[in-house]
């Protein structure tokens, strides 16, 4: 493969492809984006994706009820951030969250984070932004490595990678096994916070140079996990996940101006779990099987060195078969997109893009985006972007039909309401209907957002980079749950509906100071406000009351008493120091993150989060890592995550306390 091919160019430092689907220098991009390099991932000794993303400005991992971890970006829930591997999406959002802890970092070349609505290129689920995990590609020669890490709770991570490239053919192979005995944050409870588990990941990527102008890459990934599933002292079982992806990419350079790409992607995510009682009798079974097939053709046209177009057309075919569904749904969604990226005049870059998504189950979407960057001089540049993002209603929100056998409540997907309510009425289970079934005759609308980002990049010195970004995400047609009927057993029937006027806004500040070749300091801060406009008006109009303590008289709240949406911190920050001592072949780093207080639920009975509610206290996490190279091909490492043993046994399930580990890396 030639060094000036698109794939070869990806090896350059500070080059990003996710923001525009073309090769761009990060420093000249008009969009808020960042790159997490392989070097920084290795130095931190991170083993899972959630470990490394938690240390980035404006990102925080949030555990869901099933124990998985999603990523919150600019105050938007994890369901609004699209997760890609090599430019294609992962599936398996059983409850809206894609668990990023299932992704190993052992074969990651770099991680690209693009903030702000990106549906103009990526369609649904990119309402808040995109995180693209770029995996290793074949490099000339033969080499490999074995990496092993062992730590507290018998956490073990074993990975091995092989690289081979000669003449026209190249190959990378990677295998990882990760396991843990789990942990328990609340000994008074008979259940563990995280049950024992083990998972395995295998990746294979084959590249072949058909000619000087035509290349082919085929890759496959397989992931499997087994975990104990314990629901109570009398109910236990197993939870299994099996996931596979296959990705085929042909690229052809027809001339200096024209390049074409054909991409075919298929993936399937399957989760099965069961519970048995103490006598071995089956209590429950559940399954979740989601598949996605996506072919895409795209082309780039380079008018000259500074102006280009990229366009593409593709088709998404998605199916889901799962427990408690009224049907086996099928989504078919063709799409087309076009983007212009050019320098109108000196130091002024413009990106204009749009995409049209059709769909068999919801309203078609038109997603425009515009971004500009103007370099005032060699040190200061201003940039801004505005884009439309959307998230289609997922299968669960449309077709769910679930009744809790123990408590007795029912949750119904929007499209299943008429049939389920009719059935429950026939069975004599409905006391009264609160929301008429006729209100569900229209389509459940996709959630949408107008995303605005305004920023300044300032490089006062060659070694110092500063950046400030102001952001606002205005979300409409947000999908939420509401009670639509009361049951005779005293429980309720819930379904989904669209609400309006939710927003997140704030600022982000980033700084990188490379004092010299051996010392690097990086840090960031996010200020966030996340609120519902309708709730603000209710506080302003004096409709909301609270009590300071249980039993005390209630009083009227003011607008300033409204804190905002649940599980959002007003302040988050990070600070990292990387220090290398070449003569000792030693690398040391200390990394810290801070999250201010946040509320998880309403504790004073008014259904809103206000300053008189109970909050989770703010906290700081400090991690240390030391790595030393021996005899060129060996490296040993020691580290401590969560140095001061922070835990919150009541509210935070994904921070288990201090983790001490050792690591061995062998290269060949």
């Amino acid at each position: 493969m030639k060094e000036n091919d698109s794939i070869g160019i990806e090896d350059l430092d500070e080059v990003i492809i996710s923001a525009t689907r073309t090769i761009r220098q990060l420093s000249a991009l008009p969009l808020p984006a960042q790159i997490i390099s392989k070097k920084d991932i290795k130095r931190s000794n991170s083993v899972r994706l959630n470990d490394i993303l938690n240390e980035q400005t404006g990102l925080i991992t949030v555990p869901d009820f099933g124990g998985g971890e999603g990523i919150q970006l600019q105050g938007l829930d994890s369901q609004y951030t699209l997760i890609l591997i090599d430019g294609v999406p992962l599936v398996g959002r059983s409850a809206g969250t894609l668990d990023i802890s299932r992704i190993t970092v052992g074969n990651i070349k770099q991680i690209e984070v693009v903030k702000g609505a990106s549906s103009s290129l990526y369609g649904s689920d990119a309402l808040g932004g995109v995180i693209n995990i770029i995996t290793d590609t074949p490099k000339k020669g033969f080499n490999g490595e074995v990496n092993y890490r062992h730590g507290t709770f018998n956490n073990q991570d074993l990975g091995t990678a092989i690289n081979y490239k000669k003449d026209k053919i190249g190959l990378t192979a990677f295998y990882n096994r990760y396991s843990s005995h789990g942990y328990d944050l609340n000994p008074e409870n008979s259940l563990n916070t995280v049950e024992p588990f083990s998972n395995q990941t295998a990746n294979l990527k084959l590249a072949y140079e058909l000619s000087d102008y035509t290349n082919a890459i085929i890759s496959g990934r397989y992931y499997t996990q087994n975990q104990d599933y314990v629901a109570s002292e009398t109910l236990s079982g197993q939870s299994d996940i099996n996931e596979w992806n296959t990705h085929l990419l042909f690229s052809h350079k027809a001339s200096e101006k024209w390049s074409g790409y054909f991409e075919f992607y298929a993936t399937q995510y399957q989760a099965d779990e069961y519970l048995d009682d103490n006598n071995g009798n089956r209590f429950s079974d559940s399954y979740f099987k989601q598949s996605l097939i996506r072919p895409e053709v795209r082309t780039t046209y380079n008018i000259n060195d500074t102006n280009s177009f990229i366009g593409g057309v593709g088709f998404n075919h998605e199916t889901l078969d799962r427990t408690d569904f009224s049907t086996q749904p099928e989504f078919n969604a063709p799409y087309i997109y076009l983007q212009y990226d050019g320098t109108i005049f000196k130091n002024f870059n413009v990106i204009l893009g749009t995409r049209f998504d059709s769909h068999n189950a919801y309203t078609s979407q038109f997603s425009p985006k515009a971004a500009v960057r103007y370099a005032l001089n060699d040190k200061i540049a201003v940039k801004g972007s505005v884009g439309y993002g959307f998230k289609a209603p997922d299968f669960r929100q449309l077709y769910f039909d679930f009744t809790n056998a123990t408590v007795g409540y029912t949750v119904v997907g929007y499209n299943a309401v008429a049939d389920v309510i009719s059935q429950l009425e026939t069975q004599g289970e409905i006391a009264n209907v609160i929301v008429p079934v006729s209100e569900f005759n229209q389509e459940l609308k996709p959630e949408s957002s107008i995303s605005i980002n305004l920023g300044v990049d300032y490089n006062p010195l060659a070694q110092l980079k500063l950046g400030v970004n102001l952001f606002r995400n205005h979300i409409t047609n947000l999908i939420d749950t509401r009670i639509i009927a009361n049951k005779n057993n005293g429980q309720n029937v819930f379904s989904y509906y669209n609400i309006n006027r939710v927003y997140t806004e704030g600022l982000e500040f980033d700084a990188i100071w490379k004092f010299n070749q051996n010392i690097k300091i990086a840090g960031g801060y996010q200020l966030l406000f996340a609120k519902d406009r309708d709730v603000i008006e209710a506080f302003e109009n004096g409709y909301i009351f609270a009590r300071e303590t249980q039993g005390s008289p209630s009083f009227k709240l003011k607008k300033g008493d409204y804190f905002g949406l649940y599980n959002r911190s007003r302040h988050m920050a990070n600070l990292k120091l990387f220090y290398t001592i070449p003569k000792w072949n030693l690398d040391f780093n200390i990394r810290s993150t801070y999250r201010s207080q946040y509320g998880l639920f309403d504790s004073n009975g008014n259904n809103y989060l206000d300053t008189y509610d109970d909050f989770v206290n703010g906290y700081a996490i400090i991690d240390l890592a030391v790595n030393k190279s021996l005899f060129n091909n060996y490296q040993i490492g020691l580290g401590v995550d969560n140095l001061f043993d922070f835990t919150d046994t009541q509210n935070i399930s994904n921070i288990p306390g201090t983790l001490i580990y050792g690591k061995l890396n062998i290269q060949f």
Side-chain angles (χ1 to χ4, degrees), residues 464-493:
L464 181 62
K465 296 181 180 180
L466 306 174
V468 176
N469 182 58
L470 302 175
F471 64 87
R472 180 179 174 92
N473 299 287
H474 180 75
I475 307 168
T476 57
N477 293 323
L478 184 76
I479 297 175
D480 203 353
T481 57
R482 62 174 169 175
I483 299 172
I484 64 170
N486 303 127
K487 302 178 74 173
N488 289 322
N489 63 0
Q491 296 298 319
N492 300 310
V493 180

Side-chain angles (χ1 to χ4, degrees), residues 4-5 212-215 251-260:
N4 60 352
D5 286 345
D212 289 343
Y213 305 102
T214 306
N215 301 283
S251 62
H252 177 69
K253 185 175 182 180
S255 66
E256 291 299 320
K257 294 183 177 294
W258 288 96
S259 298

Side-chain angles (χ1 to χ4, degrees), residues 34 111 163 194 202 237 266 337 384 418 424 432 470 473 619 636 647 662:
Q34 68 184 99
I111 302 169
N163 170 86
V194 172
Y337 61 88
L424 292 176
N432 63 288
L470 302 175
N473 299 287
Y619 62 89
I636 57 173
T647 58

Side-chain angles (χ1 to χ4, degrees), residues 20-51:
T20 63
R21 301 195 76 170
T22 57
I23 307 300
R24 283 296 306 266
Q25 290 288 336
L26 177 66
S27 59
L29 194 69
L31 303 167
Q34 68 184 99
I35 290 175
I36 307 168
S37 68
K38 189 180 189 73
K39 182 178 180 181
D40 283 350
I41 295 173
K42 279 185 167 292
R43 290 197 294 187
S44 68
N45 292 339
S46 298
V47 294
R48 313 306 286 183
L49 183 62
N50 54 302
D51 295 335

Side-chain angles (χ1 to χ4, degrees), residues 147 161 239 243 583 605 654:
N147 192 79
S239 173
E243 176 190 13
K583 65 179 181 179
N654 63 331

